[in-house]
């Protein structure tokens, strides 16, 4: 399996990477860990003409306490998110979920920013950061801007990020002792979730997001609205698919996905409430 | 198609302690670079798209799939392949001996990747539970053994006592 040929540019700074991507236009792509992009290129589902390698931008790999949130550099690898004491303390849902991504080899190379920028609705970290109310920091030729995860995902593998913008940081609000759960239903350890649910709950507050239940990661606002209106967990879980648009594939029919989502939301909320 | 002859960056990587330089085409994977350019054919390619784990190597100390890394991305990396895990005189490593003893292989195609993954697992977790072994090896597929012999080999390499069925005591 050999990808189509491409030109390779190794960036030595974020600014240089953004300048290079601007220079080569829409057929150029950033290359971080490459664990979403390389399989697509090998299957020739993606054929970028230029790859701008940002893998050496080690100053984008960090996990810092920033007061009300934890700042995670976009090039932080899943393994480093999984094992971060800071995240285990302040955003344990994210640390745990990073440890559920793929398998050990994937977690050693894949990055949180790459996973989010790829905007795959079947990936674990887009939905998890969505449930946590994270903010993404995008750097472009004219400076940086911040966008809420809830406004970021626009369609299948499509986000609000412009072609010449680079995701540089994920701001994860501190969970402040909230109960949490990540439910991933799959048949083999390394598979994507057939359906996944990320949920947290603290006093009257809650957040729930769904993996692989539509063209984007889905924020299950009807569930959280029901909970804050006093509904029981079982009642709220019945609202699991109100915002979802599940599709059928080899693994599951629409009906099966719908059933799974309700069951997994109930389990996640029970675990987050105990 | 992009011009592949102009501006190809030189790649320098340390493989099993030896500095290797090359100018691989950017689309050449690290796995193909190791096999074709370095003539280290112990790293095997099964699926070639990030599922089977046969191509697993150590890259800067972590187990990674060399089929999902372009050689140009490995610039400056310190790499250990299966050839670097046994002693220079060919003496097998503890993990390799355990795989032999426990019949952790049949056709042997997946074995280099498993040996790397097991070596990494036991370095980070010298006394793993059954669940931790299965999770730790979830990125490697074997179509011959049914995994029982492989799990037994991990336990033997970890110094855990095992019975004939591979159960730890």
């Amino acid at each position: 399996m050999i990808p189509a040929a491409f030109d390779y540019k190794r960036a030595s700074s974020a600014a240089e990477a953004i300048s290079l991507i601007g220079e080569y236009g829409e057929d150029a792509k950033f290359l971080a860990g490459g664990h979403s992009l390389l399989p697509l290129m090998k299957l020739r589902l993606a054929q970028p003409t230029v790859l701008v390698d940002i893998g050496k931008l080690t100053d984008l790999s960090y996990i810092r306490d920033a007061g009300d949130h934890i700042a995670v550099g976009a090039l932080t690898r899943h393994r480093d998110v999984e094992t971060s004491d800071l995240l285990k303390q302040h955003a344990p849902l994210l640390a745990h979920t990073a440890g559920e991504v793929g398998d050990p080899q994937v977690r050693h190379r894949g990055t949180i920013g790459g996973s989010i920028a790829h905007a795959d609705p079947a990936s674990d970290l887009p939905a998890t950061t969505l449930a946590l109310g994270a903010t993404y920091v995008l750097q472009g030729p004219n400076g940086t801007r911040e966008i809420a995860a809830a406004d970021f995902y626009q369609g299948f593998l499509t986000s609000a990020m412009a072609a010449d913008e680079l995701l540089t940081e994920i701001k994860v609000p501190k969970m402040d002792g909230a109960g949490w759960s990540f439910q991933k239903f799959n048949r083999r350890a390394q598979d994507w979730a057939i359906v996944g649910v990320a949920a947290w709950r603290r006093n009257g507050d809650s957040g729930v997001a769904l993996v692989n239940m539509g063209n984007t990661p889905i924020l299950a606002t009807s569930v959280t609205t029901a909970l804050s209106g006093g509904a029981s967990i079982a009642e709220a879980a019945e609202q699991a698919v109100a915002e979802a648009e599940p599709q059928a594939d080899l693994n599951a029919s629409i009906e099966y996905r719908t059933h799974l989502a309700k069951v997994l939301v109930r389990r996640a909320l029970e675990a987050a409430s105990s | 198609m992009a011009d592949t002859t102009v501006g190809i960056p030189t790649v320098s990587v340390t493989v099993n302690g030896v500095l290797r330089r090359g100018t691989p085409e950017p689309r050449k994977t690290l796995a193909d670079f190791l096999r074709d350019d370095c003539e280290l054919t112990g790293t095997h390619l099964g699926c070639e798209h990030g599922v089977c784990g046969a191509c697993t190597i150590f890259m800067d100390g972590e187990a990674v799939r060399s089929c999902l890394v372009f050689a140009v991305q490995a610039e400056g990396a310190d790499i250990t392949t299966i050839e670097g895990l046994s002693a220079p005189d060919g003496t097998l490593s503890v993990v390799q001996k355990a795989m032999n003893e426990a019949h952790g292989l049949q056709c042997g195609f997946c074995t280099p990747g498993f040996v790397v993954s097991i070596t990494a697992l036991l370095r980070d977790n010298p006394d793993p539970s059954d669940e931790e072994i299965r999770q730790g090896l979830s990125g490697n597929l074997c179509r011959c053994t049914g995994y029982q012999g492989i799990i037994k080999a991990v336990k033997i390499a970890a110094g855990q006592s095992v019975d004939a069925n591979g159960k730890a005591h």
Side-chain angles (χ1 to χ4, degrees), chain B residues 3-18:
Chain B
D3 185 338
T4 57
T5 59
V6 177
I8 295 176
T10 303
V11 173
S12 302
V13 291
T14 303
V15 184
N16 303 330
V18 178

Side-chain angles (χ1 to χ4, degrees), chain A residues 1-3 5-8 10 31-32 35 38-39 42 44 49 51 53 56 103-106 108-109 189-190, chain B residues 2-4 9 26-27 29 48-49 51 56 59 62-65 67-70 72-73 75 117 136 138-140:
Chain A
M1 268 191 205
I2 299 171
F6 57 87
D7 279 340
Y8 174 83
R10 191 180 293 134
L31 174 64
H35 272 46
L38 262 74
K42 289 187 160 212
R44 303 229 175 181
T49 54
L51 285 188
D53 188 358
K56 303 291 184 196
D103 52 44
Q105 291 99 314
V106 170
H108 289 146
R109 285 293 298 169
Q190 63 175 207
Chain B
D3 185 338
T4 57
R27 63 174 161 170
T29 63
E48 291 196 57
H49 66 289
V51 178
T56 303
M59 182 172 171
E62 301 288 4
V64 306
R65 287 189 175 88
C67 84
L68 282 194
V69 179
F70 291 122
V72 286
Q73 290 177 274
E75 167 64 19
S117 285
S138 60
N140 293 74

Side-chain angles (χ1 to χ4, degrees), chain A residues 192-240:
Chain A
W192 277 270
I194 295 173
V195 175
V197 174
W200 61 269
R201 209 174 175 196
R202 183 185 56 235
N203 303 326
D205 257 352
S206 59
V208 179
L210 312 177
V211 179
N212 214 358
M213 283 297 288
N215 280 330
T216 64
I218 302 291
L219 198 58
T221 49
S222 293
V223 173
T224 47
T225 303
L227 284 176
S228 48
S232 68
I233 286 174
E235 290 164 347
E238 281 303 307
Q239 303 299 314

Side-chain angles (χ1 to χ4, degrees), chain A residues 23-108:
Chain A
E23 190 178 328
Y24 292 103
E26 295 220 337
D27 290 333
K29 291 277 284 180
F30 289 122
L31 174 64
H35 272 46
S36 298
L37 188 55
L38 262 74
L40 289 181
M41 289 176 66
K42 289 187 160 212
L43 297 166
R44 303 229 175 181
L45 296 171
Q47 300 194 18
T49 54
V50 178
L51 285 188
V52 176
D53 188 358
I54 55 173
K56 303 291 184 196
L57 306 185
T58 47
D59 56 343
L60 289 182
S61 174
Y62 57 84
I63 299 168
R64 292 184 197 130
D65 192 327
D68 62 344
H69 68 274
I70 304 294
V72 182
L75 274 175
T76 309
R77 300 197 190 281
H78 302 319
R79 174 71 179 164
D80 295 327
V81 173
E82 174 189 358
T83 55
S84 159
D85 288 335
L86 204 54
L87 285 171
K88 282 184 195 170
Q89 185 184 349
H90 295 292
L93 172 58
L94 181 61
H96 172 84
T97 306
E100 298 283 308
V101 175
D103 52 44
Q105 291 99 314
V106 170
R107 296 195 288 272
H108 289 146

